[in-house]
């Protein structure tokens, strides 16, 4: 049976393999506390299993970044929609205020019109009431005059005798 040769990777080789910068690999190893399997002097070596794990962590990070960018775009779109709706709300509130002012003016005009109608009807009643009294008096006077004029001759009515 032939022994399977285990391959070890340096940070530079991992970076080339995963097509990311060496700083990204160094940062990921530090934050995830991944320890090297071997160390040849200053060069730290990582197993193939660790390489797969690092690859998984990077792909997960890329997916999160993609998800974050999608969330950011959605957030921006929703923010625009909210701003638009708030502006519409302000416009509608301004229209409501304007219509309320118009309604107040219409109510004032209606009140004034009703007052004028009431005053006119009072004046009409005042004018009609004395006219009836005057007409009654005038009719009586006219009827008395008519009677006396009927008794007087034409010439006496003309010359006033």
């Amino acid at each position: 049976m032939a022994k399977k040769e285990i391959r070890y990777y340096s940070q530079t080789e991992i970076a080339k393999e995963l097509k990311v910068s060496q700083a990204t690999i160094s940062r990921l190893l530090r934050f995830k506390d991944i320890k090297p399997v071997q160390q040849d002097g200053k060069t730290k070596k990582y197993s193939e299993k660790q390489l797969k794990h690092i690859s998984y962590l990077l792909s997960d990070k890329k997916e999160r970044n993609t998800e974050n960018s999608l969330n950011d775009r959605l957030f921006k779109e929703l923010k625009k929609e909210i701003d638009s709706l708030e502006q519409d709300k302000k416009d509608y509130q301004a229209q409501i205020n304007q219509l309320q002012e118009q309604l107040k003016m219409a109510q004032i005009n209606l009140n004034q019109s009703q007052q004028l109608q009431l005053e006119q009807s009072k004046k009409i009643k005042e004018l009609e009431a004395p006219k009836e009294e005057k007409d009654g008096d005038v009719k009586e006077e006219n009827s008395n005059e008519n009677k006396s004029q009927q008794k007087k001759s034409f010439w006496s009515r003309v010359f006033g005798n």
Side-chain angles (χ1 to χ4, degrees):
M1 252 189 165
K3 248 185 170 179
K4 187 177 177 184
E5 190 176 315
I6 299 175
R7 182 158 180 217
Y8 295 103
Y9 299 90
S10 68
Q11 287 184 16
T12 308
E13 291 171 334
I14 292 172
K16 285 180 183 177
E17 183 80 22
L18 300 178
K19 298 177 183 171
V20 293
S21 70
Q22 189 173 348
T24 302
I25 298 297
S26 180
R27 197 176 318 113
L28 182 68
L29 293 172
R30 198 170 353 135
F31 287 127
K32 297 297 181 177
D33 201 28
I34 300 173
K35 303 290 180 194
V37 176
Q38 282 184 348
Q39 194 161 354
D40 293 336
K42 288 186 174 181
T43 306
K44 298 175 183 175
K45 298 284 185 173
Y46 298 91
S47 69
E48 199 166 329
K49 184 178 178 183
Q50 287 175 316
L51 173 67
K52 289 179 181 178
H53 181 66
I54 292 168
S55 173
Y56 170 76
L57 292 173
L58 284 172
S59 66
D60 187 42
K61 182 179 177 184
K62 286 178 183 175
E63 287 175 11
R64 282 194 316 265
N65 284 343
T66 304
E67 197 174 290
N68 286 343
S69 68
L70 179 63
N71 286 342
D72 288 344
R73 281 185 280 159
L74 284 172
F75 178 77
K76 287 177 183 176
E77 287 296 319
L78 290 173
K79 179 81 171 133
K80 285 179 186 177
E81 186 68 24
I82 288 170
D83 291 342
S84 172
L85 291 173
E86 284 177 351
Q87 184 61 40
D88 289 348
K89 179 184 171 187
K90 287 178 186 177
D91 293 343
Y92 291 141
Q93 190 62 41
Q95 287 178 350
I96 288 170
N97 291 339
Q98 190 178 30
L99 289 172
Q100 285 176 338
E101 285 298 317
Q102 289 176 356
L103 181 61
K104 284 180 186 176
M105 292 304 295
Q107 286 173 337
I108 290 171
N109 289 340
L110 178 64
N111 190 18
Q112 289 175 349
S113 173
Q114 288 173 342
Q115 287 177 354
L116 286 173
Q117 276 185 326
L118 183 63
E119 287 177 21
Q120 284 178 347
S121 65
K122 284 181 183 177
K123 285 183 180 180
I124 290 172
K125 285 181 182 178
E126 286 176 8
L127 290 174
E128 286 178 353
K131 192 174 191 181
E132 288 175 1
E133 291 175 8
K134 288 180 182 177
D135 287 346
D137 293 342
V138 170
K139 286 180 182 176
E140 290 176 13
E141 290 175 11
N142 284 341
S143 63
N144 289 337
E145 284 180 19
N146 284 339
K147 290 178 186 175
S148 63
Q149 285 178 359
Q150 287 174 357
K151 294 179 184 176
K152 293 182 180 178
S153 68
F154 173 76
W155 294 108
S156 62
R157 279 183 278 163
V158 174
F159 292 112
N161 287 339

